[in-house]
Amino acid sequence: MTDLKIKNFYTFAKFPNPMIVEIFAREKGIDLFAIEKTVDAPGLENRNAEHLARNPAGQLPYLELEDGTVIAETITICEWLEEMKPEPACIGSTPEKRAVARMWQRRMEEHFVYPTFYSVRFWTASEDCSGPLKNFFAQRNKVLIPGAWKEMQAWGLSRLEWLEDLKKGSPSDYIAGDELTVVDIQVYTTLVFFEDLGAPFMKDHGERLPWTKAFIARMAERPAVKKCHEHIKELFG
């Protein structure tokens, strides 16, 4: 990608963090797909010596620039893309809007996204989990706390309920206001990816989360989100 000087985009498109970057890029009209390199994350290819030499943390996705710079961490990638192509803005078009978007991103990441991710990781190590996800993270995380998965999931749910209460008094289409920002993409991907993989918030609690239900439907109709799901289906069936 000559204009952004990206050499490779290493990813596994169906996982939630790669989905965030893909949707974010599509919203901004950035085409990462000519340089997309699919990495077999379920098979731990991202943890092999070649990838760890570039990205020691071992996670996906990450960018490799033409000058050899490696940019990892999902939100950092989104921030970099925003700086390289400010319009259309997905983190805010003014200092105030950017501050509000980042404020909401931290609020939801710390109290919904992280607890949800860890609830599923801990659940896979628990006696409550069976099937293909059983012990999926055993080789990926040195510390798993199987007895804590229910509490972690309750933590995530409490943040959704908090958001619901706020939206009753101050309704808006998106989390940070009436414009889509990166936090919407992050929360949406977390909700839809884990719904059938250990964190069924909408199935179990949907009647108490009407704003969240409408938000998911609203996000699902965005062209960038539709194209992301189509891309995943093309790659993985």
Side-chain angles (χ1 to χ4, degrees):
M1 176 173 282
T2 305
D3 53 343
L4 296 184
K5 296 180 169 54
I6 304 173
K7 180 180 179 182
N8 291 307
F9 172 48
Y10 295 99
T11 187
F12 186 74
K14 69 190 299 184
F15 278 7
N17 285 329
M19 286 176 65
I20 293 170
V21 172
E22 176 171 345
I23 294 170
F24 188 91
R26 289 184 184 277
E27 287 284 351
K28 295 187 69 62
I30 295 172
D31 180 7
L32 294 176
F33 312 105
I35 53 168
E36 181 180 66
K37 305 291 184 184
T38 296
V39 180
D40 181 12
L44 293 172
E45 182 184 358
N46 53 309
R47 308 280 174 158
N48 70 21
E50 177 185 350
H51 284 285
L52 290 177
R54 284 190 293 263
N55 180 26
Q59 80 276 50
L60 295 171
Y62 69 94
L63 303 177
E64 181 183 19
L65 306 188
E66 291 176 0
D67 67 0
T69 300
V70 170
I71 302 173
E73 303 297 339
T74 299
I75 300 302
T76 300
I77 293 171
C78 293
E79 291 268 6
W80 183 81
L81 293 173
E82 184 93 341
E83 289 196 28
M84 296 299 290
K85 189 177 186 294
E87 299 294 335
C90 292
I91 301 178
S93 56
T94 68
E96 293 76 19
K97 288 182 177 181
R98 286 191 288 275
V100 169
R102 289 167 176 145
M103 172 182 74
W104 276 102
Q105 189 274 323
R106 288 298 297 134
R107 285 172 170 173
M108 297 306 295
E109 182 176 65
E110 183 176 3
H111 295 287
F112 171 67
V113 176
Y114 285 168
T116 300
F117 269 66
Y118 280 103
S119 75
V120 173
R121 290 176 184 179
F122 295 168
W123 168 70
T124 63
S126 76
E127 294 180 356
D128 299 304
C129 178
S130 60
L133 284 181
K134 181 68 175 178
N135 293 321
F136 181 83
F137 291 97
Q139 297 181 61
R140 294 168 170 83
N141 294 93
K142 291 183 177 180
V143 178
L144 294 169
I145 311 171
W149 78 266
K150 293 180 182 179
E151 288 77 9
M152 297 298 290
Q153 197 163 117
W155 182 1
L157 175 61
S158 72
R159 177 65 19 155
L160 292 179
E161 293 172 332
W162 173 81
L163 183 62
E164 289 283 337
D165 287 341
L166 289 178
K167 292 303 180 184
K168 289 176 185 177
S170 182
S172 62
D173 283 348
Y174 297 102
I175 292 172
D178 291 321
E179 298 176 358
L180 176 131
T181 66
V182 65
V183 64
D184 299 298
I185 300 169
Q186 188 178 29
V187 169
Y188 170 79
T189 57
T190 303
L191 284 163
V192 299
F193 182 82
F194 290 114
E195 180 68 20
D196 297 320
L197 294 173
F201 289 111
M202 302 314 297
K203 178 182 176 182
D204 291 352
H205 309 287
E207 73 283 354
R208 291 153 49 196
L209 304 170
W211 185 89
T212 305
K213 182 178 180 181
F215 165 76
I216 292 171
R218 192 176 301 118
M219 288 293 295
E221 288 301 311
R222 295 189 69 88
V225 174
K226 287 184 176 181
K227 288 179 181 178
C228 175
H229 289 300
E230 290 169 2
H231 180 221
I232 291 170
K233 188 174 181 179
E234 289 171 1
L235 289 174
F236 303 100

